[in-house]
Amino acid sequence: MTRAEQLGRLVMAAEPRPFWLDQRGAPSARAPLRGEAAADLVVIGGGFTGLWTALLAKESDPERSVVLVEGHRVGWAASGRNGGFCDASLTHGAANGRERFPAEFATLQRLGAENLDAIQIALDRHGIDCEFERTGSIGVATEEYQVDGLREAAENSGATFLDTAGLRAEVNSPAYLAGVWDKQGAAMVQPARLAWGLAAACERLGVRIFEGTPALGLSGEADGVAVRTRDGVLRAGQVALGTSAFPALLGRLRPYIVPVYDYVLVTEPLSAAQRAEIGWRSRQGIGDSGNQFHYYRLTADDRILWGGYDAIYHFGRGIRAAYDQRPATFATLAAHFFTTFPQLEGIRFSHRWGGVIDTCSRFCAFFGTARRGRVAYALGFTGLGVGASRFGARVMLDLLSGEPTELTRLRLVRSKPVPFPPEPLAYLGIQATRWSLARADRRDGRRNLWLRALDAAGLGFDS
Ligand SMILES: Cc1cc2nc3c(=O)[nH]c(=O)nc-3n(C[C@H](O)[C@H](O)[C@H](O)COP(=O)(O)OP(=O)(O)OC[C@H]3O[C@@H](n4cnc5c(N)ncnc54)[C@H](O)[C@@H]3O)c2cc1C
């Protein structure tokens, strides 16, 4: 059997579903909405964005009636199937933030740090056990050309630069050349437990949650907005949209988002000997520095979650359950896993899955209102929304309040990304970009004409 066939078999033996959701103690389904209901605020979407919006709305005004509708199950989509890196960055990393929002970058970093602290405090306050570990994260260089970039990042941010020996003393991989350890800027969470815990906290404060309730359309009324659902109608004073990569209920938002699939493997729990072999005592989240990057971390029971690299777009903004599985990507991920940790040869993978990301061309969320200020949205987190979704929720509530606030004055909040073109240009452009990014990774990071033209136009593609 060839190595490729061996890896193919290895990954296909794993359970084809998200490890995080495949747990004892998952909540049972909530009833759908049937008939009519009314609320001051209707939140659409039961991922982190919607859940934080409902929770913060109730916390700030307990008298406000809040209903959350979820088309399927709370936390089933990106929120329950991600890597669990809860990052302070609101801008998909410091480099992207500094480049796109130079004048307010320091403010965004402060707001991001406050947001992560506030998440930690909220978990304590509501008794949400989601295996939160404030480990920080390490960005690693596996190619010589990446080392200077990391050194510069450490100098700019005050994070700790680790040379080869220093990094390998933390986490033992022969692939590592250097790293930068941000000790405060990230926590690891069990994301499905976070979503379930937020939903339970919402309900304790009086939020009504309906699952199996897709919202099909919005229409303006004299004193609010009517939300048509599959089996009923909700009369809302205000509406907050946290619908992520799924078709936006406001048609004008659709060009801003493309659904992109990202994939993950999880190993069986490491033995004590395997654990000792790789070190990793401080349990940091790790990401490497290529355009096509991997992210990986330990779970509470000492498995390794290993994801990223391929970012797959399907023609026509396709979203389908079948896309959650991609054997070729799983085999690639497994090959890269064993290059990074050859000491773990022989370990098995217990779970494999994919999920859809709301990619926008600036890689961080955008915000706004519609229907005379009664509908707010926060979309486009592009693969870094576990922490930033709480900030997005605050922005939506501030926008709905109608009062200018520190958040609503931000350029991040007032500006929009460049929209993607219609098909077939979107598909062709994304394939050209993916091809160019892979090529740059093979050629010491050198960006070709296509990537440089996109850079100049402020356009990009990422996961
Ligand atoms: C594989 C993978 C790995 C990732 N890793 C990380 C990571 O490590 N760190 C990080 O920060 N981010 C990561 N992300 C991204 C992160 O998961 C998302 O940014 C975040 O969960 C977005 O939350 P959300 O609530 O906006 O979207 P979602 O969790 O997608 O929730 C949107 C919800 O809206 C519902 N919905 C949509 N339309 C309707 C409608 N019309 N009516 C009713 N309901 C509707 C959907 O059913 C869904 O439940 C990853 C994503 C994936 C897929």
Side-chain angles (χ1 to χ4, degrees):
M1 207 188 308
T2 64
R3 177 70 173 155
E5 287 166 346
Q6 193 191 351
L7 291 175
R9 281 200 185 187
L10 189 66
V11 292
M12 294 317 280
E15 298 288 344
R17 51 178 172 264
F19 168 71
W20 306 123
L21 292 163
D22 188 21
Q23 303 281 327
R24 269 190 237 127
S28 45
R30 296 169 172 88
L33 172 73
R34 294 198 204 287
E36 289 208 10
D40 298 325
L41 174 67
V42 169
V43 178
I44 303 179
F48 293 141
T49 305
L51 291 165
W52 280 115
T53 307
L55 187 71
L56 294 174
K58 262 302 197 190
E59 282 185 332
S60 69
D61 179 3
E63 298 304 311
R64 171 160 37 183
S65 56
V66 180
V67 164
L68 184 150
V69 291
E70 161 54 46
H72 186 40
R73 298 288 313 276
V74 161
W76 77 279
S79 295
R81 58 180 67 215
N82 58 68
F85 285 57
C86 187
D87 208 284
S89 176
L90 304 175
T91 54
H92 205 272
N96 191 49
R98 194 178 283 110
E99 189 181 315
R100 291 183 190 272
F101 306 102
E104 64 188 26
F105 177 66
T107 306
L108 294 176
Q109 291 292 91
R110 171 180 59 77
L111 290 169
E114 288 171 4
N115 185 57
L116 181 54
D117 289 343
I119 290 173
Q120 188 166 358
I121 291 166
L123 299 181
D124 280 347
R125 188 169 57 245
H126 294 286
I128 297 174
D129 177 7
C130 61
E131 298 163 12
F132 183 96
E133 295 181 74
R134 191 91 182 235
T135 58
S137 62
I138 306 185
V140 301
T142 53
E143 303 284 343
E144 206 54 63
Y145 78 89
Q146 297 164 352
V147 174
D148 284 346
L150 288 189
R151 205 185 306 273
E152 199 182 310
E155 276 160 18
N156 283 334
S157 66
T160 307
F161 181 79
L162 300 168
D163 62 12
T164 309
L167 177 55
R168 291 184 191 179
E170 280 297 327
V171 185
N172 183 20
S173 165
Y176 292 165
L177 299 177
V180 54
W181 183 5
D182 175 359
K183 295 188 179 176
Q184 278 302 312
M188 299 299 117
V189 298
Q190 202 292 31
R193 286 201 191 285
L194 174 54
W196 298 335
L198 287 172
C202 282
E203 288 179 323
R204 283 195 296 275
L205 296 188
V207 175
R208 285 173 292 160
I209 299 182
F210 298 99
E211 294 184 318
T213 304
L216 304 178
L218 306 175
S219 51
E221 301 206 315
D223 52 355
V225 180
V227 180
R228 193 163 45 83
T229 66
R230 193 171 51 202
D231 304 310
V233 177
L234 274 162
R235 309 222 173 266
Q238 296 180 319
V239 173
L241 298 177
T243 53
S244 189
F246 300 90
L249 289 167
L250 299 168
R252 74 166 107 134
L253 298 181
R254 293 193 185 171
Y256 291 113
I257 301 273
V258 290
V260 171
Y261 278 81
D262 189 37
Y263 294 91
V264 180
L265 292 173
V266 162
T267 67
E268 61 187 347
L270 272 59
S271 66
Q274 288 168 324
R275 197 67 185 70
E277 180 58 42
I278 55 170
W280 212 345
R281 281 178 297 279
S282 299
R283 302 175 58 81
Q284 308 93 332
I286 301 179
D288 51 35
S289 309
N291 290 307
Q292 292 182 290
F293 61 95
H294 308 89
Y295 53 86
Y296 42 107
R297 55 159 294 183
L298 292 163
T299 64
D301 61 351
D302 277 348
R303 299 160 194 265
I304 296 177
L305 175 146
W306 179 267
Y309 196 72
D310 275 345
I312 304 296
Y313 172 71
H314 295 276
F315 187 88
R317 294 177 160 72
I319 298 179
R320 287 199 196 139
Y323 297 157
D324 291 354
Q325 294 296 322
R326 196 163 192 273
T329 295
F330 295 131
T332 304
L333 283 173
H336 297 171
F337 174 88
F338 289 115
T339 304
T340 305
F341 295 122
Q343 320 91 303
L344 299 181
E345 190 64 47
I347 201 167
R348 287 190 296 259
F349 295 100
S350 66
H351 291 77
R352 56 179 157 95
W353 73 91
V356 68
I357 280 171
D358 52 342
T359 290
C360 73
S361 65
R362 73 181 195 185
F363 315 147
C364 55
F366 60 92
F367 314 88
T369 58
R371 306 284 154 98
R372 289 186 286 158
R374 289 183 178 137
V375 178
Y377 52 86
L379 305 167
F381 292 96
T382 318
L384 206 70
V386 172
S389 52
R390 180 186 173 280
F391 174 84
R394 284 188 60 210
V395 171
M396 283 202 281
L397 293 172
D398 280 12
L399 288 171
L400 288 172
S401 80
E403 300 295 325
T405 67
E406 180 186 25
L407 303 194
T408 64
R409 286 190 201 97
L410 293 168
R411 204 173 100 75
L412 172 79
V413 171
R414 286 183 290 108
S415 61
K416 292 275 187 303
V418 179
F420 291 95
E423 297 292 18
L425 292 180
Y427 183 81
L428 293 172
I430 288 170
Q431 297 314 318
T433 308
R434 288 191 57 224
W435 180 86
S436 303
L437 290 171
R439 188 163 182 262
D441 282 342
R442 289 192 304 272
R443 303 177 72 217
D444 293 344
R446 285 198 300 278
R447 296 171 83 77
N448 64 12
L449 210 57
W450 173 254
L451 292 179
R452 293 205 301 273
L454 292 183
D455 292 344
L459 259 167
F461 178 75
D462 208 334
S463 64

